[in-house]
Amino acid sequence: MKKVYSTFSSFCCNLFGHHYSVSKKVTLHIKEYKCIHCGKEVTTDVSGNLSELTPELQEINSTLENLYQKRHGAAQQQVA
Ligand SMILES: [Zn+2]
């Protein structure tokens, strides 16, 4: 199966840059973003820059998210 669409999208991203939209709010300051064209995922790192979303950073983010939600759990409780 040829991945023509994703190849074309990456080509556009290379030309025009990625078009990120927030895919997940980790904390008030840290968010995960996903490119709407090629699906590339990035995240805000501790210094406020965008880094590629590696499995390591994904794990850090989910830890941060847990801490954040515990700390703010009283205000907004999630019902699973
Ligand atoms: Zn892209």
Side-chain angles (χ1 to χ4, degrees):
M1 194 176 125
K2 280 185 184 177
K3 287 183 175 178
V4 179
Y5 176 75
S6 95
T7 310
F8 180 71
S9 297
S10 323
F11 177 69
C12 285
C13 287
N14 284 333
L15 270 184
F16 306 115
H18 298 285
H19 187 154
Y20 293 120
S21 78
V22 177
S23 61
K24 189 182 189 183
K25 212 171 149 186
V26 179
T27 71
L28 207 58
H29 304 290
I30 297 177
K31 296 182 184 76
E32 289 176 9
Y33 301 87
K34 195 171 189 173
C35 176
I36 62 168
H37 297 301
C38 69
K40 182 186 165 75
E41 290 179 296
V42 293
T43 184
T44 328
D45 65 15
V46 280
S47 43
N49 299 314
L50 286 181
S51 299
E52 199 169 326
L53 188 64
T54 58
E56 287 81 12
L57 279 172
Q58 217 161 11
E59 209 171 301
I60 291 170
N61 278 357
S62 68
T63 307
L64 285 174
E65 193 186 12
N66 278 335
L67 287 172
Y68 183 78
Q69 283 182 354
K70 261 180 208 163
R71 205 181 289 173
H72 296 81
Q76 37 175 301
Q77 274 198 343
Q78 276 193 345
V79 183

